[in-house]
Amino acid sequence: MGRADHNKKTDPKTTCKCGSSCLGPMTFHPRAVGDMICLSEGGRRAERIEDTFKGGVVFTSRPVMTYEKIRLLVEKHVPHWQGAMRVGFTNVNPSARSLPLPPFSMPNLTQTSGHWAMPVHESYCQETSVLEFWVTYSGKICVKFQNSGKQRLVANVDVRKPLWAMIDVYGQTCSVFLLGSKTKGFLFKKTSCPGPEPPIRRPSTFSLENTTLSESSDDRTSCLNMEIPADGYCVVCMVRQTDITLPCGHRCLCNHCTPRVLAQFGTCPLCRLVISPPPVMWT
């Protein structure tokens, strides 16, 4: 068995019916996620849900091959933190990890056996940026940037064992979307299961000129996956009574959470209607 095929054959549960040219689905592991991470879009989006720079470690749900290039889209970033995402690999099966995960991939995980990662510079992690990263046969981590060059880290990754990709949604990077993966050999080319294109995230047109956003870590922002309000409580913080009626008619937010939801998403958390005019507010 060649090195390039080693990881693929270690987990038969990842096989699919797309054919021999398919690498299997490429999603984030649903259980082994950082404290601040919300997964959505079938496990292909990983987003930090609090205004913090840490707690964003995620892993792929299946092992990856050497030279399997994992493609990531940076959907969202904020400028008031330093640093950006980290990418790398691990020999530790995400399903066997104890929770909660450490807040950082570097240095919390990279100082332990079986973890390797490298930071991605902030300039390559702007919104809509796309990058690829992979590990070579010799254990080097490579990152290639859109319309730019390539970085290589001499990391001595142990490619003799199964490897899972590791991403830390860190610092300025708030949300990433898995676009899939691909590998290309001399006689073959394989790709992960085709998935839908990432949904367009429209910016809010609601004016926030007279609104002050709190920097408190208690300002929890919804991942917008809820379907019904929590019995009169705000669907974001789940502790305050709903005070706000949006133009769509849904009364599902409190005064405290409304500004951040509109600033970050610009849509109703329930029906996802884009909020164009200022909402009608009453208590």
Side-chain angles (χ1 to χ4, degrees), residues 62-135:
R62 64 165 173 83
V64 298
M65 300 167 60
T66 47
Y67 277 97
E68 181 176 351
K69 298 182 178 180
I70 299 143
R71 300 183 66 232
L72 275 178
L73 166 69
V74 178
E75 286 193 307
K76 189 176 176 183
H77 89 294
V78 291
H80 58 268
W81 298 116
Q82 293 185 346
M85 85 165 92
R86 285 86 162 86
V87 297
F89 297 90
T90 179
N91 294 139
V92 181
N93 190 330
S95 297
R97 289 183 180 271
S98 59
L99 300 177
L101 295 177
F104 308 104
S105 61
M106 302 172 63
N108 294 115
L109 290 176
T110 52
Q111 288 183 343
T112 63
S113 176
H115 299 84
W116 303 267
M118 64 182 295
V120 181
H121 194 271
E122 298 167 3
S123 61
Y124 297 118
C125 293
Q126 303 301 305
E127 291 182 5
T128 73
S129 297
V130 176
L131 60 85
E132 297 177 340
F133 70 100
W134 65 96
V135 63

Side-chain angles (χ1 to χ4, degrees), residues 16-198:
C16 64
K17 299 180 181 179
C18 297
S20 59
S21 63
C22 182
L23 294 168
M26 174 56 65
T27 62
F28 292 114
H29 194 280
R31 173 183 173 273
V33 296
D35 286 349
M36 299 297 116
I37 285 292
C38 173
L39 299 182
S40 60
E41 298 298 329
R44 298 176 68 204
R45 173 183 290 139
E47 182 171 14
R48 281 205 321 267
I49 58 173
E50 283 196 9
D51 189 14
T52 180
F53 59 91
K54 60 184 179 179
V57 177
V58 290
F59 306 91
T60 54
S61 59
R62 64 165 173 83
V64 298
M65 300 167 60
T66 47
Y67 277 97
E68 181 176 351
K69 298 182 178 180
I70 299 143
R71 300 183 66 232
L72 275 178
L73 166 69
V74 178
E75 286 193 307
K76 189 176 176 183
H77 89 294
V78 291
H80 58 268
W81 298 116
Q82 293 185 346
M85 85 165 92
R86 285 86 162 86
V87 297
F89 297 90
T90 179
N91 294 139
V92 181
N93 190 330
S95 297
R97 289 183 180 271
S98 59
L99 300 177
L101 295 177
F104 308 104
S105 61
M106 302 172 63
N108 294 115
L109 290 176
T110 52
Q111 288 183 343
T112 63
S113 176
H115 299 84
W116 303 267
M118 64 182 295
V120 181
H121 194 271
E122 298 167 3
S123 61
Y124 297 118
C125 293
Q126 303 301 305
E127 291 182 5
T128 73
S129 297
V130 176
L131 60 85
E132 297 177 340
F133 70 100
W134 65 96
V135 63
T136 68
Y137 297 135
S138 59
K140 296 181 177 67
I141 297 176
C142 297
V143 182
K144 184 177 180 181
F145 308 106
Q146 188 177 26
N147 303 322
S148 186
K150 179 171 64 176
Q151 288 185 356
R152 179 174 294 178
L153 175 68
V154 182
N156 296 319
V157 177
D158 188 353
V159 298
R160 299 169 299 176
K161 300 177 181 179
L163 288 171
W164 287 261
M166 176 173 64
I167 299 101
D168 190 350
V169 186
Y170 170 82
Q172 294 186 2
T173 308
C174 296
S175 176
V176 296
F177 196 97
L178 272 175
L179 296 175
S181 65
K182 61 183 179 180
T183 185
K184 185 177 181 181
F186 182 69
L187 296 175
F188 67 91
K189 179 180 179 181
K190 296 184 177 182
T191 60
S192 58
C193 290
E197 289 296 315

Side-chain angles (χ1 to χ4, degrees), residues 41 45 47 73 75-76 127-128 175 198-206 208 224 260-268 271-276:
E41 298 298 329
R45 173 183 290 139
E47 182 171 14
L73 166 69
E75 286 193 307
K76 189 176 176 183
E127 291 182 5
T128 73
S175 176
I200 298 175
R201 311 198 80 179
R202 300 178 182 177
S204 171
T205 56
F206 176 69
L208 296 173
L224 301 188
R260 185 172 294 273
V261 170
L262 297 182
Q264 291 189 1
F265 300 101
T267 60
C268 169
C271 68
R272 296 173 176 81
L273 178 72
V274 176
I275 308 300
S276 296

